[in-house]
Amino acid sequence: MIKPRSRRGGGRPTLSDVARKAGVGAITVSRALRDPARVSEELRRQIQAAVDELGYVPDPNARALASARAEVFGVLVPSLTNNVFAEVVRGIYDSLSDSPFRIQLGNTHYSGLEEERLLQLFGSQRPAALIVAGIDQTTASRKLLENAGCPVVQVMETGPDPVDMMVGFSHLDGGRTATEHLIEAGYRRIGFIGARMDPRSQRRLAGYRMAMENAGLSDPRLITTTPVLSSVPLGRELFRDALAKMPTLDGVFCNNDDIALGVLFECHRASIDVPKTIGIVGFNDLDMMQVAFPSITSIRTHRYEIGRRAVAMALAAISGDRPRQRVVDLGFELKRRESTAR
């Protein structure tokens, strides 16, 4: 066995030092550290003993240079405080927890220009993969994604023209399903109440309009929206505005669960019976929908699974086994509860 040469200056041990100590090639050491399953148990113990004796710590920057890609997943979401995207991010983190990849997280704050800036930053660092919320990127952002040179997964929506891969569901179909449920339950003057009308909420509104027009119930006075950031108190205010425009309102589809909870609270304050007088449907089915009184019907979206599936698709592409199905629709579920049990 070749003895490792003493290193001048007492610098940190290198991969070559470990290879010499273990009596194997540097490529074998690299393979064993990156993917232990690819070498024998005996060889793993031999290399690990050399690593422990030398106190070797892998240099992620050197590994990135060797592979021309940083072992980083760039993740862009529009909000870090919104529970909807927090669940997606949790799925991503859980899926990568036992991998060599780290996560670089960016918050676009629902801004197309900020998304462009972050994509320029992330792209300059040559990530292993990019996971980006939404399908409504600006022309500049889409070009950055197309030229990223790594797997790209757009999440939380589906569409006909993915940059690379896509996993999510149809917000239009979700909005239509929620509204059709209210119609089937016997409600007729059904309002749409929405805040922070981003493209996903716009598609939910389009689904609402489709269902109402198909049923011959459409009336522009039934729609109440605002670009203001969504919150439970805002839901109360918007419901009051909706009633002022349409006093005979008897059902409400809300673009998210915060707004739906605010509507319920305002009904309690005004002694409006739910579901007898007003039916309420939310969107996303956060935990509070189940414990509200009465419990609130909502569209359940599979946010955690979307995060996990995005990672699985990206890892498959990185390994050279790119998924044949580029667009994965995980669908949604209508969770019927007391707020529409007329």
Side-chain angles (χ1 to χ4, degrees):
M1 183 182 296
I2 300 175
K3 295 180 63 177
R5 294 174 293 180
S6 60
R7 309 188 71 250
R8 290 182 296 177
R12 60 186 290 174
T14 67
L15 190 76
S16 296
D17 294 332
V18 174
R20 284 192 295 269
K21 184 70 176 175
V24 298
I27 293 177
T28 302
V29 173
S30 177
R31 183 183 301 120
L33 295 178
R34 285 175 174 273
D35 189 358
R38 296 180 62 189
V39 299
S40 68
E41 179 65 29
E42 181 181 353
L43 193 53
R44 281 202 300 271
R45 287 197 297 266
Q46 185 177 332
I47 292 171
Q48 190 59 50
V51 167
D52 293 342
E53 183 175 339
L54 294 173
Y56 171 71
V57 178
D59 183 347
N61 293 323
R63 291 166 70 177
L65 285 172
S67 65
R69 283 283 159 192
E71 291 185 332
V72 170
F73 270 49
V75 179
L76 291 182
V77 293
S79 172
L80 296 178
T81 56
N82 186 320
N83 287 333
V84 172
F85 296 104
E87 279 291 288
V88 177
V89 170
R90 186 169 69 88
I92 294 170
Y93 269 94
D94 286 355
S95 297
L96 290 173
S97 61
D98 294 326
S99 79
F101 295 100
R102 296 163 291 160
I103 294 171
Q104 186 173 25
L105 193 58
N107 184 355
T108 67
H109 300 282
Y110 294 92
S111 166
L113 291 177
E114 179 65 6
E115 184 176 59
E116 289 177 19
R117 189 187 72 82
L118 288 171
L119 283 174
Q120 289 172 346
L121 174 63
F122 284 18
S124 69
Q125 297 166 355
R126 300 182 63 79
L130 287 168
I131 298 176
V132 184
I135 61 175
D136 295 282
Q137 283 76 30
T138 64
T139 300
S141 286
R142 185 172 179 98
K143 186 170 293 185
L144 287 167
L145 289 171
E146 290 171 343
N147 297 329
C150 67
V152 174
V153 187
Q154 293 162 285
V155 299
M156 288 301 287
E157 297 195 61
T158 56
D161 188 25
V163 170
D164 182 8
M165 296 172 285
M166 188 180 291
V167 55
F169 61 94
S170 169
H171 290 258
L172 184 145
D173 289 347
R176 181 172 57 193
T177 297
T179 309
E180 287 174 347
H181 169 66
L182 284 164
I183 295 170
E184 291 166 3
Y187 300 98
R188 289 296 176 266
R189 292 172 298 280
I190 302 165
F192 177 91
I193 298 181
R196 173 69 83 175
M197 294 299 293
D198 60 30
R200 285 169 290 278
S201 288
Q202 294 288 352
R203 282 186 268 278
R204 295 170 202 171
L205 173 57
Y208 158 86
R209 284 192 169 116
M210 187 180 299
M212 294 292 283
E213 288 170 2
N214 290 342
L217 301 173
S218 181
D219 185 331
R221 294 174 299 170
L222 291 167
I223 297 173
T224 304
T225 63
T226 177
V228 175
L229 182 66
S230 181
S231 68
V232 175
L234 181 61
R236 295 183 62 178
E237 295 176 22
L238 292 176
F239 182 57
R240 287 196 292 265
D241 292 344
L243 282 176
K245 291 191 298 180
M246 181 68 72
T248 57
L249 195 71
D250 69 350
V252 177
F253 167 43
C254 304
N255 78 316
N256 63 49
D257 291 339
D258 286 346
I259 297 298
L261 194 61
V263 170
L264 179 63
F265 287 165
E266 181 59 20
C267 286
H268 289 333
R269 188 200 66 80
S271 298
I272 298 173
D273 187 281
V274 177
K276 183 178 179 180
T277 305
I278 290 280
I280 304 172
V281 177
F283 201 100
N284 284 312
D285 197 36
L286 302 181
D287 290 344
M288 57 189 175
M289 297 294 96
Q290 302 177 49
V291 299
F293 182 76
S295 57
I296 301 176
T297 297
S298 189
I299 297 291
R300 174 172 292 180
T301 57
H302 306 295
R303 305 174 297 279
Y304 180 77
E305 180 59 27
I306 286 172
R308 292 187 65 88
R309 186 66 68 91
V311 169
M313 295 170 76
L315 289 175
I318 290 170
S319 70
D321 186 21
R322 182 173 291 275
R324 292 183 179 180
Q325 186 178 358
R326 295 174 61 204
V327 178
V328 176
D329 187 346
L330 292 182
F332 53 84
E333 297 177 62
L334 173 68
K335 304 302 290 186
R336 295 174 174 84
R337 298 198 178 94
E338 295 167 338
S339 68
T340 55
R342 208 174 203 181

